[in-house]
Amino acid sequence: MATPARESRQARIRTERLAQLGTLLAGFAHEVRNPLSTIGLNLQLVLEDFREPETPRDKRTQKRLSTVEAEVRRLQKILEEFLSFARAPEPRPQPTPLNDRLQAFVDFQQPEMKEHGLSLRFYPGAGIGSPPVDWDHLQAAIGNLLRNARDATPAGGEILVSTVRDGDDVLVRVTDTGAGIPADVQARVFEPYFSTKKAGTGLGLPTVRRIVEEHGGALTMESEVGKGTQFTMRLPARGARPESEQKP
């Protein structure tokens, strides 16, 4: 039977090995990115020569080159998201008027949602104050959830962003009225590289979860097929001041 000291040592070794592996993979991705960019650029130049194909052979060549270029772009997207996931800087939380920032962000996103035939609204909760968050990181996480909600919701649907004070925590929720996620898939949505989207990289939700956990919080999901999905960020509210105590 393993002793607590031995288990602690094994856990530390696993953590160190994972950190080393992450560093190696990030370095590998960085080295691959440059030649892949060169390949993509040269493919674009070659495709210029086949912009107006005349013979059947030229048409076949153009089609095949376009397929290769699309795959290169997909690989570039995977590499960029992996590097973003692996090398993201540590968050620097500071008191942030969360409701104000979220309202401005939702206002910014509304025109794009409208183009997709969707309604996007924000419901600010009371007593949210200014919890300590790194807004740049949190905004990226919420933007990721909004993109997922947009892709999952048919035209005419709604996407809601809301905040709620829950004791010592602040809850930020993104809710959609989309297709929902089947029960057999829900357990895998946070796995790196697992995606239900044809062109998805599978790093979006793991990145969101990492950002929330780096803030000392937790990310949860509830979904029902045919009704929609709700993601909840539970963030510590320590240091948050009520709106009534904030300066105008």
Side-chain angles (χ1 to χ4, degrees), residues 47-64:
L47 277 169
E48 288 290 327
D49 296 333
F50 291 90
R51 178 176 293 179
E52 298 178 358
E54 298 178 354
T55 67
R57 181 180 181 182
D58 288 348
K59 292 179 181 179
R60 290 195 302 271
T61 301
Q62 182 199 48
K63 183 178 180 180
R64 290 167 181 168

Side-chain angles (χ1 to χ4, degrees), residues 136-198:
D136 289 340
H137 288 212
L138 194 62
Q139 178 179 246
I142 295 169
N144 200 309
L145 293 179
L146 287 177
R147 284 192 295 274
N148 285 349
R150 179 199 65 196
D151 294 343
T153 307
E158 290 185 321
I159 299 174
L160 310 176
V161 178
S162 61
T163 55
V164 177
R165 183 66 181 256
D166 184 20
D168 293 333
D169 296 325
V170 169
L171 309 184
V172 180
R173 292 190 170 114
V174 176
T175 309
D176 67 59
T177 58
I181 302 173
D184 60 333
V185 176
Q186 291 183 26
R188 301 193 61 194
V189 296
F190 294 114
E191 293 180 9
Y193 299 110
F194 175 80
S195 178
T196 57
K197 301 178 185 179
K198 184 178 180 180

Side-chain angles (χ1 to χ4, degrees), residues 50-248:
F50 291 90
R51 178 176 293 179
E52 298 178 358
E54 298 178 354
T55 67
R57 181 180 181 182
D58 288 348
K59 292 179 181 179
R60 290 195 302 271
T61 301
Q62 182 199 48
K63 183 178 180 180
R64 290 167 181 168
L65 286 172
S66 296
T67 299
V68 174
E69 187 200 22
E71 288 301 300
V72 168
R73 289 199 306 269
R74 187 175 71 87
L75 287 173
Q76 288 175 322
K77 181 180 178 182
I78 292 173
L79 280 173
E80 292 301 325
E81 292 202 14
F82 172 78
L83 287 170
S84 176
F85 179 80
R87 292 184 170 179
E90 291 292 323
R92 297 182 177 180
Q94 58 183 352
T96 302
L98 194 56
N99 278 343
D100 292 345
R101 294 291 181 87
L102 284 171
Q103 182 66 71
F105 188 56
V106 167
D107 290 344
F108 178 77
Q109 295 286 328
Q110 281 175 338
E112 181 182 353
M113 294 297 183
K114 189 175 181 180
E115 288 183 0
H116 287 79
L118 302 173
S119 170
L120 173 62
R121 289 182 286 178
F122 175 53
Y123 292 93
I128 302 303
S130 297
V133 300
D134 185 317
W135 175 245
D136 289 340
H137 288 212
L138 194 62
Q139 178 179 246
I142 295 169
N144 200 309
L145 293 179
L146 287 177
R147 284 192 295 274
N148 285 349
R150 179 199 65 196
D151 294 343
T153 307
E158 290 185 321
I159 299 174
L160 310 176
V161 178
S162 61
T163 55
V164 177
R165 183 66 181 256
D166 184 20
D168 293 333
D169 296 325
V170 169
L171 309 184
V172 180
R173 292 190 170 114
V174 176
T175 309
D176 67 59
T177 58
I181 302 173
D184 60 333
V185 176
Q186 291 183 26
R188 301 193 61 194
V189 296
F190 294 114
E191 293 180 9
Y193 299 110
F194 175 80
S195 178
T196 57
K197 301 178 185 179
K198 184 178 180 180
T201 63
L203 288 174
L205 286 177
T207 300
V208 174
R209 183 172 65 175
R210 189 199 63 199
I211 289 172
V212 175
E213 291 179 348
E214 286 178 343
H215 279 79
L219 177 66
T220 57
M221 179 195 70
E222 296 179 13
S223 187
E224 186 173 348
V225 174
K227 292 189 176 181
T229 303
Q230 180 179 85
F231 285 92
T232 299
M233 300 177 175
R234 179 176 289 274
L235 302 168
R238 58 183 180 275
R241 294 178 296 164
E243 282 84 347
S244 60
E245 296 180 11
Q246 295 180 36
K247 296 181 180 180

